[in-house]
């Protein structure tokens, strides 16, 4: 009996000893850090067991990045912006590095608007407590990608707020069903955004690319910048040296130096390579962030209807040196059909015609005109109807 008791005590002391060691470890590097480490191990096990991404909601965290909305609720509305507002610091204290990105179903624009109470009509924002050092317009070429747009807005608004930018988001929506023309829509975006404000930088942004690190600052460099250097679909590497697709940033001066983008690439492919060549023809270089920072997750999709691969793209690319001064910002023709300032973005619906010209599709005399100085107030067509409806429902919550 006595030996039995002795061994029982021995085990008890051993158990207490182990407990003490665990406690000491926990308090050494910070209790919270340790606890969250163990929680993450359990989460990981759970994920492997269920075969999901482990991100049930867009607010979820994982070990590769943090919630893009973390800390943003600390930003309070400024009590009247005074003349003497200090400039924002050169490096924003809100920048946190890697961001967790997932695409849960059921996200609505109303939810996105509620999470961004400081964004005002037209998708505009200015830091509430300091004067932004940079004014950036985001130009997004668009048609039939409302689902992607919701996710992009969900991530982009807080991402830009973290960088303490004065920013605006412009959706350039191609009207009609004719073949898509990404580069021409960007020319429209450039002109229309600059008409509204003296932006010092323009980000030309595909709707399906979500930035994964907020150190990838949406500000211009001294040369045109290719921001989407590391996409998940290319294994987070640059696919080829001259690649200039996805997301790029140019100042108005850069843009005009290269005569903007080509207007004649209808359908998929080549236009981004043409733009890359224009950078060097305009006497500039391509600058890039590091692969660690210029990371993007692409929302998976197939080639769109109305955006077939352009079979002429290689022939056209071979002639960029001869054509860049003859086709671009100096020749762009279009008609703005509507300009709507929604809570989370400005939508510009535009008629851009076909290869045969602006009026080949719709022979109405109105369509024959060049881009008007002042766009018509109301749109004859309303393409992203579902989105607009949702936006209108949102309005009272935001303003
Ligand atoms: N876009 C639209 N609607 C369209 C087509 C394109 O909004 O119908 C916009 C959108 O912003 C998109 C961008 O143009 O992100 C670029 O088009 P894309 O996503 O189709 O091009 P990407 O090269 O993907 O990113 C193509 C996938 C399959 C290509 C296979 C070719 N071999
Ligand atoms: C090149 C295309 C680019 C395109 C890139 C990536 O081949 O426009 O692939 O395409 N250039 C030409 O076709 C001349 S992707 O893998 O994203 O489909 O951006």
């Amino acid at each position: 009996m006595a030996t039995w008791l002795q061994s029982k005590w021995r085990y008890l002391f051993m158990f207490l000893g182990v407990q003490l060691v665990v406690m000491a470890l926990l308090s050494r590097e910070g209790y919270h850090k340790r606890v969250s480490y163990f929680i993450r191990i359990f989460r990981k096990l759970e994920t492997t067991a269920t075969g999901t991404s482990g991100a049930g909601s867009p607010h979820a965290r994982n070990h590769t990045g943090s919630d893009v909305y973390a800390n943003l609720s600390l930003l309070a509305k400024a009590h009247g912006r005074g003349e003497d507002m200090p400039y924002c610091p050169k490096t924003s204290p809100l920048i946190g590095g890697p961001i967790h990105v997932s695409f849960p179903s059921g996200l609505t624009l109303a939810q996105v608007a509620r999470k961004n109470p400081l964004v005002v009509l037209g998708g505009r924002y200015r830091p509430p407590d300091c004067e932004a050092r940079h004014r950036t317009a985001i130009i997004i070429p668009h048609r039939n990608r409302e689902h992607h747009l919701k996710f992009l807005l969900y991530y982009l608004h807080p991402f830009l707020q973290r960088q303490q930018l004065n920013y605006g988001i412009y959706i350039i929506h191609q009207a009609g069903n004719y073949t898509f023309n990404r580069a021409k829509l960007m020319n429209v975006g450039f002109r229309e955004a600059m008409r509204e404000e003296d932006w010092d930088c323009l980000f030309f942004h595909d709707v399906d690319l979500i930035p994964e690190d907020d150190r990838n600052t949406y500000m211009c460099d001294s040369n045109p910048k290719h921001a989407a250097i590391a996409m998940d679909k290319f294994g987070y590497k640059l696919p080829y040296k001259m690649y200039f697709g996805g997301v790029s940033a140019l100042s108005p001066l850069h843009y005009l130096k290269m005569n903007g983008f080509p207007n004649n690439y209808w359908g998929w492919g080549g236009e981004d390579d043409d733009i890359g060549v224009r950078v060097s023809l305009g006497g500039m270089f391509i600058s890039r962030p590091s692969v660690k920072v210029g990371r993007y997750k692409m929302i998976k999709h197939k080639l769109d209807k109305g955006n077939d691969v352009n079979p002429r793209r290689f022939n056209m690319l071979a002639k960029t040196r001869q054509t860049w001064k003859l086709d671009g910002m100096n020749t762009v023709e279009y008609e703005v059909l509507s300009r709507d300032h929604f809570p989370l973005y400005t939508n510009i619906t535009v008629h851009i015609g076909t290869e045969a010209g602006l009026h080949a599709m719709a022979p109405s005399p109105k369509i024959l005109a060049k881009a008007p100085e002042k766009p018509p107030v109301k749109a004859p067509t309303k393409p992203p109807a579902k989105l607009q409806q949702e936006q209108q429902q949102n309005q009272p919550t935001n303003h």
Side-chain angles (χ1 to χ4, degrees):
M1 181 74 175
T3 28
W4 180 83
L5 256 182
Q6 258 179 5
S7 68
K8 195 182 164 194
W9 278 110
R10 196 181 322 138
Y11 283 126
L12 197 61
F13 279 126
M14 271 168 68
F15 178 69
L16 285 173
V18 170
Q19 289 261 340
L20 262 168
V21 172
V22 169
M23 294 284 285
L25 270 175
L26 284 176
S27 53
R28 209 172 132 240
E29 276 196 47
Y31 175 78
H32 289 291
K33 230 169 153 186
R34 289 271 157 181
V35 168
S36 61
Y37 173 73
F38 286 116
I39 288 175
R40 281 206 299 268
I41 290 179
F42 286 120
R43 280 235 183 105
K44 209 170 166 190
L45 289 176
E46 196 182 294
T47 310
T48 331
T50 57
T52 66
S53 70
S57 87
H59 325 291
R61 280 181 66 112
N62 79 358
H63 59 288
T64 56
S66 57
D67 178 4
V68 70
Y69 284 93
N71 300 335
L72 277 192
S73 55
L74 300 176
L75 282 178
K77 228 178 185 128
H79 304 292
R81 298 173 60 89
E83 290 281 297
D84 52 353
M85 187 112 87
Y87 270 110
C88 298
K90 282 195 174 142
T91 306
S92 165
L94 298 168
I95 284 178
I99 289 163
H100 173 68
V101 176
S102 65
F103 307 116
S105 57
L107 180 71
T108 66
L109 278 181
Q111 285 169 349
V112 180
R114 273 198 294 278
K115 288 195 72 79
N116 291 280
L118 302 187
V119 172
V120 301
L121 214 55
R124 297 289 201 93
Y125 174 89
R126 292 165 80 185
D129 48 358
C130 57
E131 195 60 53
R133 288 176 184 267
H134 306 273
R135 293 184 307 279
T136 299
I138 314 290
I139 311 291
I140 303 168
H142 179 264
R143 187 169 71 184
N144 296 333
R145 294 279 193 98
E146 285 75 11
H147 184 55
H148 294 178
L149 182 57
K150 269 186 222 173
F151 286 120
L152 181 62
L153 294 169
Y154 178 88
Y155 285 102
L156 208 50
H157 274 296
F159 175 90
L160 299 168
Q161 287 163 37
R162 287 181 167 284
Q163 299 183 357
Q164 296 187 312
L165 300 172
N166 173 351
Y167 72 81
I169 297 186
Y170 294 87
I171 305 300
I172 314 300
H173 183 94
Q174 180 171 337
N177 299 322
Y178 195 72
T179 313
F180 197 73
N181 188 329
R182 177 175 177 267
K184 184 166 184 181
L185 291 172
M186 314 255 231
N187 277 342
V188 174
F190 174 80
R191 181 168 287 170
E192 295 303 318
M194 292 307 291
R195 224 170 236 175
E196 273 197 358
E197 176 131 4
D198 187 20
W199 301 109
D200 53 37
C201 183
L202 295 104
F203 264 72
F204 299 92
H205 210 297
D206 278 3
V207 74
D208 51 9
L209 289 174
I210 314 292
E212 293 188 82
D213 195 306
D214 62 11
R215 290 169 295 178
N216 180 7
T217 47
Y218 276 26
M219 302 157 189
C220 277
D221 285 354
S222 50
N223 277 290
K225 176 160 78 177
H226 177 233
I229 171 171
M231 296 183 197
D232 61 343
K233 72 166 171 180
F234 298 132
Y236 291 107
K237 283 190 298 232
L238 197 62
Y240 51 94
K241 196 166 170 259
M242 285 307 287
Y243 182 58
F244 201 67
V247 181
S248 53
L250 288 89
S251 70
L253 191 65
H254 296 152
Y255 204 80
L256 296 176
K257 261 187 165 176
M258 57 198 264
N259 192 20
F261 296 172
N263 296 302
N264 54 354
Y265 281 79
W266 298 88
W268 184 89
E271 84 298 342
D272 47 356
D273 301 316
D274 188 293
I275 296 164
V277 174
R278 281 172 183 244
V279 171
S280 58
L281 291 171
M284 299 173 285
F285 300 97
I286 297 176
S287 87
R288 289 195 172 97
S290 76
V291 279
K292 219 168 87 193
V293 158
R295 289 168 69 92
Y296 286 80
K297 191 169 266 187
M298 196 190 88
I299 310 173
K300 288 195 179 66
H301 66 90
K302 298 207 172 75
L303 200 60
D304 301 81
K305 220 168 135 195
N307 194 28
D308 288 342
V309 175
N310 174 7
R312 296 170 52 225
R313 66 195 188 287
F314 292 107
N315 287 342
M316 293 167 72
L317 261 176
K319 294 191 193 114
T320 307
R321 186 175 283 278
Q322 288 93 58
T323 56
W324 73 286
K325 283 190 180 160
L326 308 172
D327 171 57
M329 211 51 217
N330 58 351
T331 54
V332 62
E333 282 188 315
Y334 60 94
E335 190 196 38
V336 171
L337 301 180
S338 70
R339 181 191 297 258
D340 294 286
H341 293 97
F342 291 130
L344 292 169
Y345 61 90
T346 297
N347 185 81
I348 296 173
T349 296
V350 61
H351 171 74
I352 56 170
T354 69
E355 284 98 330
L358 197 57
H359 25 92
M361 242 166 63
S364 104
K366 227 179 119 205
I367 299 292
L368 288 172
K370 274 196 176 186
E373 280 307 310
K374 283 201 176 125
V377 179
K378 263 290 134 232
T381 54
K382 292 201 173 289
K386 218 175 134 209
L387 258 194
Q388 287 194 6
Q389 202 183 2
E390 236 190 77
Q391 286 275 1
Q392 270 140 16
Q393 282 164 5
N394 280 339
Q395 295 217 11
T397 58
N398 229 13
H399 304 282

